[in-house]
Amino acid sequence: MNIQPAEIKNPKSKIRNTLSVWIALAGIVAGLVSIPQWTTNANALNLLFLIFIFITMSQSWNILGGFAGQISLGHAAFFGIGALVMRVLWIGGMEFFIAMPIAGVVAALCAFVVGIPTFRLRGAYFSIGTLALAEALRLTIANVLPTVSTMPARYIAAFDLAQRYYVALAIAVITMLATYLLMRSRWMLGWLAIREDEEAAQATGVQLLWHKLAASGISSFFAGLAGAVFSFQQVSYYPSSVFVATWTFDPVLIAFIGGVGTLIGPVIGAIFFIAIREQLVITLPSLHPIIFGIMFILIVLVFPGGLVDIGTRLQQWMQKRRVKSS
Amino acid sequence: MLLKLENLSKSFGGLKAVRELNVTVEAGEIIGLIGPNGAGKTTLFNLITGTYKPDAGRITFRDHEITRHNPSSRCKQGIARTFQHVRPFHHLSLLDNVAVGCVYGRQTARSRGEAERIAREMLQLVGVHESPQVHAGELTLMNRKRVELARALATQPYLLLLDEWMAGLNPSEQREALGLIRRLRTQGITIILVEHLVKAVFDISDRVVAMDAGEKIAEGTPSQVANDPKVIEAYLGPDMGGE
């Protein structure tokens, strides 16, 4: 068997390592919090806002797809529901911080509506179910609410981009923390087991239906929050536009580019994706989807584990060299 | 009595894989299940673990009827298994593989830490404890089988079903495997094993059940079953069996 250098490390240096990781993370978050203090550049804040939304969306997809192995092809449904519920409640007069969790919960309930019938079946039924839900909602909303939704004038007058930035940052941080805690929970073992082999997981005592429902509920809750933040920020948008398939597939691409089934993958993926996309949209507006497609294929071919894989491979390579030279 | 199968039947389309089978298993026994290919051994296993539901008949485990219970519920009641084609969780570390059993089995570990502590003991018991962080998919066949066994043991079963556990192992590994099974018995675990290696089954079992074409054709001590004309006929054909 392979020698695992990680096992030989002494526990003291391990504690020191985790401590330094936490300090570094706190530093990054503090840095992000301070950004609106020294810039009011709307482009920069909007770009970061988008990155936060995509981190949340992609991590949400990752909880369900990357860890529990249940592939949602309709995450736009949960994003859109969150956006819609938030918009209605908030413009109806509810405080945004109360409307937001409600939007998340309604999105989670929608996940149960698809999950309860489809998770009992083996195979791609859940994926197809989510895809169908997103499309059905998009068409229905386009028919029922065909006109653009615009914030009331007094809302626009009171609009504060920095506040939207902070809310999006907070939701992204909460999603990351929740994922971190889930990864250390006992439920995560059940999810991973289901992802690896449903029959073996069941034979080891894992209840498939409950675990899948829990994963899809938690995942959709965060997707709903992401949608809520989005509709909290948009001055005007078509209510059906948040149900379009790009709100599903961009987060999926981000998860794969960054690293499926890892904590940090969606963050790296979102930064990479948004940064490159914004550049391409400006320089090559008509070609950018093709370039993106090719890039995605190359990354998945060369680094099946995503961009986080580059780091681990470098580490392995350096360890090998060290073993050789000693 | 630990497990009682009464008039158990299961068909797939027109094929009667198991028909009207009656078997009783006492606590602490090692039961060997033999029979030619297609005799219904694996189907019977799947009926006991709940992967299949029987068309007719009744399964009683520790005085509770479990005929309609699903596999995860049966695992929590104390029935664990290994698979004919070894199925550890390939992309999980050995520790996580076994910790799943600790968390979801009959005894529920209260935290990940406790689960990992028990998992380490189980890996030690089956003899793959040097590098618990390695992914199960990277191991040799024998070690993957060990990990799968450790995962099953981590659920704290009363009854353990080993499906072709020795298949694909070389003779020295087979000896190791037999030693391991004997060690499990000393821990008070009842074992039912299916094996193609009839000699190994006779060596280790207290009682042997022979199946052919879905039916039980013989039952008894290894020597009784080995000399049963029906068993010889099932394995070697009617001409040889007549001798």
Side-chain angles (χ1 to χ4, degrees):
Chain A
M1 254 179 275
N2 300 336
I3 301 157
Q4 288 282 297
E7 280 294 295
I8 306 164
K9 267 187 198 160
N10 71 55
K12 248 186 197 166
S13 78
K14 204 177 164 191
I15 290 168
R16 211 178 304 144
N17 278 344
T18 26
L19 195 68
S20 53
V21 166
W22 279 107
I23 291 170
L25 286 175
I28 291 171
V29 172
L32 289 169
V33 167
S34 74
I35 283 179
Q37 308 300 324
W38 46 268
T39 179
T40 48
N41 182 335
N43 284 336
L45 291 184
N46 276 323
L47 196 70
L48 286 167
F49 174 90
L50 263 186
I51 289 176
F52 299 150
I53 292 248
F54 275 107
I55 288 173
T56 308
M57 262 316 264
S58 172
Q59 191 65 275
S60 149
W61 187 88
N62 190 38
I63 290 171
L64 182 58
F67 294 119
Q70 307 304 307
I71 306 300
S72 160
L73 292 181
H75 240 49
F78 312 119
F79 181 81
I81 288 283
L84 185 68
V85 171
M86 172 73 186
R87 194 79 169 180
V88 170
L89 293 179
W90 174 56
I91 289 180
M94 192 182 272
E95 292 288 351
F96 77 88
F97 50 85
I98 301 172
M100 229 167 246
I102 295 176
V105 169
V106 175
L109 292 177
C110 285
F112 294 149
V113 172
V114 196
I116 289 169
T118 56
F119 279 145
R120 291 167 191 277
L121 307 166
R122 217 160 263 200
Y125 294 97
F126 174 72
S127 304
I128 296 163
T130 49
L131 187 62
L133 177 75
E135 279 302 285
L137 283 173
R138 184 179 66 82
L139 293 169
T140 310
I141 300 293
N143 283 325
V144 178
L145 303 167
T147 54
V148 75
S149 159
T150 305
M151 277 185 206
R154 61 190 175 85
Y155 279 60
I156 297 175
F159 187 89
D160 175 9
L161 183 59
Q163 184 204 27
R164 305 308 198 263
Y165 171 91
Y166 284 130
V167 172
L169 173 62
I171 297 289
V173 169
I174 289 170
T175 310
M176 291 299 293
L177 270 176
T179 311
Y180 173 76
L181 291 175
L182 285 170
M183 284 176 80
R184 299 168 64 95
S185 73
R186 292 183 298 162
W187 276 78
M188 182 53 74
L189 283 176
W191 287 341
L192 293 172
I194 290 173
R195 180 191 77 188
E196 291 296 307
D197 187 331
E198 284 197 5
E199 201 183 327
Q202 219 180 1
T204 316
V206 182
Q207 288 148 318
L208 299 185
L209 182 63
W210 289 116
H211 275 77
K212 291 179 186 177
L213 283 178
S216 69
I218 293 169
S219 162
S220 305
F221 174 77
F222 289 116
L225 285 185
V229 178
F230 185 77
S231 75
F232 183 50
Q233 185 254 5
Q234 293 289 299
V235 171
S236 64
Y237 74 101
Y238 283 96
S240 63
S241 68
V242 283
F243 291 90
V244 297
T246 47
W247 284 111
T248 296
F249 292 110
D250 285 351
V252 176
L253 280 181
I254 288 169
F256 274 93
I257 289 172
V260 173
T262 65
L263 177 64
I264 208 72
V267 178
I268 295 171
I271 295 169
F272 184 81
F273 181 85
I274 298 295
I276 300 238
R277 192 183 71 171
E278 295 301 304
Q279 279 307 308
L280 289 177
V281 166
I282 296 162
T283 52
L284 297 162
S286 54
L287 282 177
H288 95 265
I290 298 176
I291 296 174
F292 234 100
I294 293 171
M295 218 165 57
F296 171 72
I297 292 168
L298 284 179
I299 288 175
V300 171
L301 277 180
V302 181
F303 299 105
L307 292 176
V308 289
D309 213 22
I310 297 176
T312 41
R313 283 200 195 184
L314 269 178
Q315 231 177 345
Q316 280 170 356
W317 181 73
M318 303 231 307
Q319 267 164 11
K320 259 185 206 156
R321 277 189 52 135
R322 219 177 300 150
V323 170
K324 258 186 200 162
S325 64
S326 65
Chain B
M1 172 224 322
L2 187 72
L3 177 76
K4 192 174 181 186
L5 311 176
E6 292 167 273
N7 297 319
L8 218 54
S9 293
K10 177 71 185 173
S11 303
F12 298 102
L15 177 79
K16 289 203 164 168
V18 168
R19 48 179 123 187
E20 308 219 333
L21 199 91
N22 289 287
V23 173
T24 305
V25 178
E26 299 295 334
E29 277 189 307
I30 296 184
I31 304 254
L33 192 57
I34 62 163
N37 275 330
K41 304 183 299 280
T42 294
T43 304
L44 183 62
F45 255 46
N46 286 327
L47 288 171
I48 298 172
T49 57
T51 308
Y52 300 150
K53 303 285 182 288
D55 300 329
R58 217 175 120 87
I59 305 171
T60 317
F61 182 65
R62 302 184 77 237
D63 301 327
H64 294 287
E65 187 183 342
I66 57 162
T67 316
R68 298 275 138 205
H69 291 191
N70 64 28
S72 62
S73 146
R74 291 187 199 199
C75 174
K76 286 185 197 304
Q77 293 176 63
I79 300 179
R81 74 173 297 174
T82 64
F83 289 90
Q84 185 172 2
H85 302 288
V86 57
R87 286 163 90 165
F89 303 125
H90 283 97
H91 300 99
L92 303 191
S93 70
L94 306 191
L95 206 56
D96 283 350
N97 258 276
V98 183
V100 174
C102 304
V103 167
Y104 292 97
R106 190 170 65 79
Q107 302 280 357
T108 312
R110 258 169 269 114
S111 66
R112 281 284 283 268
E114 189 188 336
E116 284 177 10
R117 188 179 54 72
I118 302 168
R120 277 177 206 277
E121 284 172 21
M122 293 298 161
L123 286 170
Q124 183 108 37
L125 181 73
V126 300
V128 271
H129 49 280
E130 291 96 349
S131 13
Q133 301 296 348
V134 176
H135 283 191
E138 295 168 26
L139 301 181
T140 60
L141 177 67
M142 178 66 196
N143 282 335
R144 268 180 284 153
K145 288 189 176 228
R146 288 174 197 262
V147 171
E148 206 192 26
L149 180 64
R151 180 179 74 193
L153 292 174
T155 68
Q156 310 281 346
Y158 296 112
L159 175 65
L160 178 64
L161 295 101
L162 301 175
D163 195 355
E164 302 267 353
W165 205 66
M166 279 177 264
L169 301 184
N170 67 38
S172 81
E173 288 171 335
Q174 280 171 22
R175 271 194 299 280
E176 251 179 87
L178 282 174
L180 198 53
I181 293 170
R182 287 207 179 90
R183 227 181 308 154
L184 295 182
R185 185 243 280 286
T186 61
Q187 312 227 335
I189 300 172
T190 309
I191 296 169
I192 304 181
L193 51 96
V194 163
E195 210 61 63
H196 260 104
L197 303 158
V198 175
K199 188 184 170 304
V201 177
F202 286 154
D203 275 355
I204 201 168
S205 304
D206 300 313
R207 209 146 55 83
V208 175
V209 172
M211 286 179 75
D212 188 26
E215 284 177 334
K216 181 170 82 178
I217 54 170
E219 183 177 359
T221 63
S223 59
Q224 281 169 346
V225 171
N227 296 315
D228 192 304
K230 274 198 206 154
V231 175
I232 298 166
E233 188 184 311
Y235 270 91
L236 303 175
D239 296 341
M240 305 292 283
E243 301 295 303

